[in-house]
Amino acid sequence: MSQAKKGLPGLSASIKDKLIQQALERKLRQAGQEQETRSMSGPAAQRSAIPEEYYRFELHPGYRQLRILNEGAARMGVRSPFFKLHEATASAATRIGGKPYINYASYNYLGMSGDPVVAQAAKDAIDRYGTSVSASRLVSGERPIHRELERALAEVYEVEDAVTFVSGHATNVSTIGYLFGPRDLVLHDELIHNSVLQGIQLSGARRLPFAHNDWAALDAILQDQRHQFERVLIVLEGIYSMDGDFPDLPRFVEIKRRHKAFLMVDEAHSLGVMGKRGYGIREHFGLAGKDVDIWMGTLSKTLAGCGGYIAGEAALVEHLKFLAPGFLYSVGMPPSVAAASLAALRRMQELPERVATLQARGRYFLELTQAAGIDTGGSAGFAVVPAITASSLRAARLSAALFERGINVQPILYPAVPEKSARLRFFVSCQHTEEDLRNTVAALRAAL
């Protein structure tokens, strides 16, 4: 007889077996409960404790902040000034909701978007090459119009070569992100564009800002830091798009040479705007193309297209063409866009009077606003003139008031700028008339 049965005297074998079975079932239940308790504190429990905002877009902190701002504006009776539908070409004038407006919200500085010659060039390129090159340029997306545009850009800068990208923002991100790394240093003006900051972050390089347009502050940083890094890049803008001012470029050229650093200038808003022929800040100061290592610009302002470019020495351009991810893994620029930008560049060269008119209109508008007691910051009157309100709410209300008076100008609000620097931002075109500008300043004074 087994030891188990010996320990249960006076019970039949069947009863003893049943009791043993029940005991085993109790042990199994207890083991299951213990396993469940352990699992409650393991991965499954952790999954059940994940906050909803980690997997629901409507609870994302950024979106919630946006909703708070929009709802607050609505309660104050301020309608959103963004995503207005323009129903025609937007230059000095536009149509929104079937009504005409004087327009200060487009970068069409020389009126090239809408120019019949530029439009025809785009149409001809579609007829010849189609609407897309349908591949990366490296493999089978290359077309003659790409090379023509790049040669023309290189000639403007008097450098060896140029390369175009399908996005202006991605031009800076990919170029800086690829060329520099964790052992390098990137120094930039404190008001530099977001695309530069994103490029630096991608690169992993050390980032140090310096005070706006302060070449002496840059020099001091380099005196202290240069020897700790391999490559050093300095990044400036030709015209700062929020403020309308520009750097003393010859000073920065001298500093970069002395400290053996690279200098990059973003000419998104200065090409077509500065210089007698519109050749940008280089022409304004009478510098040689090789004085700056990396010339960057966009095709979406003066050049009536979309995308960006890098111009400089052949080694730089060839390197980017074969290895920069933003070029290598992107489809080539649509032929119509390349053709439009090339035609716009040639039109700028054929019609220098447009550049002269733009510069005259910009100066005139700056003089009018300053005479009206409006804070224009450090604007030099080169096409970009801010009206600083020192309040996001005030800027939004002024934009709405001017819109009611037939004037379309965008407010720039926190966090795009500090709250104390909130503003209206006026982009002046060569197609604005002096009467347009006078009427606008009169309406702005009335709204204020």
Side-chain angles (χ1 to χ4, degrees), residues 310-328:
I310 294 291
E313 63 180 278
L316 165 69
V317 172
E318 184 179 4
H319 193 181
L320 293 175
K321 277 188 171 183
F322 278 90
L323 294 172
F327 181 85
L328 178 61

Side-chain angles (χ1 to χ4, degrees), residues 2-299:
S2 69
Q3 292 298 317
K5 291 182 179 179
K6 282 183 180 179
L8 296 169
L11 297 177
S12 67
S14 62
I15 292 176
K16 291 175 183 176
D17 289 339
K18 188 174 182 179
L19 290 173
I20 292 171
Q21 181 66 30
Q22 290 174 345
L24 289 171
E25 288 175 355
R26 282 197 301 272
K27 287 186 176 293
L28 288 171
R29 285 197 297 272
Q30 290 172 356
Q33 291 169 352
E34 290 172 0
Q35 177 64 30
E36 184 177 354
T37 300
R38 285 194 298 270
S39 67
M40 288 287 286
S41 59
Q46 294 170 8
R47 284 195 297 272
S48 66
I50 294 174
E52 286 186 303
E53 57 264 33
Y54 292 174
Y55 57 87
R56 289 176 57 185
F57 286 122
E58 71 270 25
L59 297 179
H60 190 285
Y63 180 71
R64 292 171 76 174
Q65 181 183 20
L66 177 64
R67 295 306 309 162
I68 290 169
L69 290 172
N70 288 344
E71 290 163 7
R75 283 195 298 271
M76 294 178 187
V78 179
R79 292 190 301 175
S80 173
F82 308 115
F83 293 100
K84 292 172 182 170
L85 289 173
H86 293 252
E87 297 156 356
T89 301
S91 186
T94 189
R95 291 189 69 84
I96 302 171
K99 298 179 181 178
Y101 291 86
I102 302 173
N103 184 43
Y104 296 97
S106 297
Y107 316 129
N108 195 6
Y109 296 129
L110 298 183
M112 295 300 179
S113 178
D115 181 280
V117 174
V118 175
Q120 189 60 51
K123 294 171 187 176
D124 292 344
I126 290 175
D127 290 341
R128 184 172 183 180
Y129 301 114
T131 56
S132 173
V133 298
S134 305
S136 165
R137 283 177 59 186
L138 187 73
V139 289
S140 62
E142 191 86 342
R143 299 293 184 272
I145 196 67
H146 294 134
R147 297 189 183 183
E148 290 178 49
L149 173 59
E150 289 165 350
R151 281 196 299 269
L153 287 166
E155 288 171 5
V156 165
Y157 286 99
E158 297 180 354
V159 293
E160 294 175 339
D161 207 351
V163 57
T164 54
F165 292 71
V166 291
S167 160
H169 191 279
T171 301
N172 277 334
V173 172
S174 194
T175 298
I176 297 172
Y178 173 70
L179 291 177
F180 299 91
R183 296 180 179 179
D184 302 329
L185 171 66
V186 182
L187 297 145
H188 64 84
D189 189 287
E190 64 180 344
L191 301 185
I192 206 72
H193 193 265
N194 169 269
S195 56
V196 171
L197 301 180
Q198 294 294 310
I200 300 169
Q201 182 177 0
L202 178 63
S203 74
R206 174 80 183 278
R207 179 177 74 86
L208 289 176
F210 56 89
H212 182 49
N213 283 337
D214 190 340
W215 55 266
L218 170 67
D219 193 24
I221 294 172
L222 284 167
Q223 291 280 9
D224 183 58
Q225 299 283 331
R226 175 64 183 97
H227 66 283
Q228 300 180 32
F229 299 91
E230 293 180 358
R231 297 171 189 83
V232 172
L233 174 69
I234 303 160
V235 193
L236 314 172
E237 292 185 29
I239 288 179
Y240 288 87
S241 63
M242 293 292 179
D243 295 83
D245 59 353
F246 59 92
D248 184 350
L249 188 55
R251 289 280 194 177
F252 287 94
V253 170
E254 187 277 324
I255 289 169
K256 78 97 180 178
R257 284 177 176 160
R258 184 155 37 85
H259 292 285
K260 294 180 170 52
F262 293 110
L263 177 60
M264 179 177 186
V265 178
D266 181 335
E267 284 226 276
H269 291 271
S270 48
L271 181 73
V273 175
M274 298 182 75
K276 186 175 181 179
R277 297 169 295 173
Y279 282 19
I281 193 170
R282 181 182 74 85
E283 184 180 39
H284 177 83
F285 282 109
L287 297 174
K290 65 180 180 180
D291 288 337
V292 169
D293 303 283
I294 306 174
W295 291 104
M296 179 272 172
T298 57
L299 306 176

